Amino acid sequence: MEIGERVFVGPGCIVQQGAQIGADSRLTARVNVCAAVRIGRRCIVHAGAVIGADGFGFAANAGTWVKVPQVGSVQIGDDVEIGANTTIDRGAIDDTVVEHGVKLDNQIQWATT
């Protein structure tokens, strides 16, 4: 885990192994940053956000659902703001990428394949 200078990590936050949080970023309460996620500089992540969890990784196979490993991660650029209770799933194959300067409202679910 790598946490940059002047990062604020609020109460109840979880930052998992291998995650990186850039300088001057702010995680408010109960934010979960999963393994290998990278959050850029000057980002704000509001309460209850989950970044880097599995997406809906299932495929139909002979009448049943089979779990498909989600091997990507999440890369968040600089100056991004993520609303409360938003989830950004890691990619099934490649990383989910949120570009610099993106602003997301509350309760958004973002995923890539």
Side-chain angles (χ1 to χ4, degrees):
M1 164 177 30
E2 182 179 319
I3 298 179
E5 294 182 1
R6 298 172 302 282
V7 169
F8 173 82
V9 178
C13 290
I14 298 170
V15 180
Q16 296 182 11
Q17 183 176 353
Q20 298 176 7
I21 302 172
D24 300 306
S25 289
R26 179 175 182 81
L27 308 181
T28 66
R30 301 178 325 279
V31 172
N32 190 336
V33 180
C34 296
V37 167
R38 184 190 121 2
I39 296 175
R41 297 172 295 156
R42 299 175 305 278
C43 294
I44 301 170
V45 184
H46 291 281
V50 177
I51 303 172
D54 273 2
F56 189 77
F58 297 94
N61 182 23
T64 187
W65 291 101
V66 177
K67 179 81 170 157
V68 176
Q70 308 290 288
V71 298
S73 188
V74 177
Q75 306 294 319
I76 295 175
D78 298 336
D79 304 303
V80 170
E81 187 161 348
I82 298 169
N85 296 312
T86 291
T87 59
I88 302 175
D89 294 339
R90 67 177 181 247
I93 298 170
D94 293 325
D95 291 347
T96 299
V97 177
V98 179
E99 299 289 342
H100 297 306
V102 170
K103 310 300 182 200
L104 300 175
D105 202 354
N106 300 330
Q107 299 181 337
I108 294 173
Q109 196 276 329
W110 181 326
T112 58
T113 55

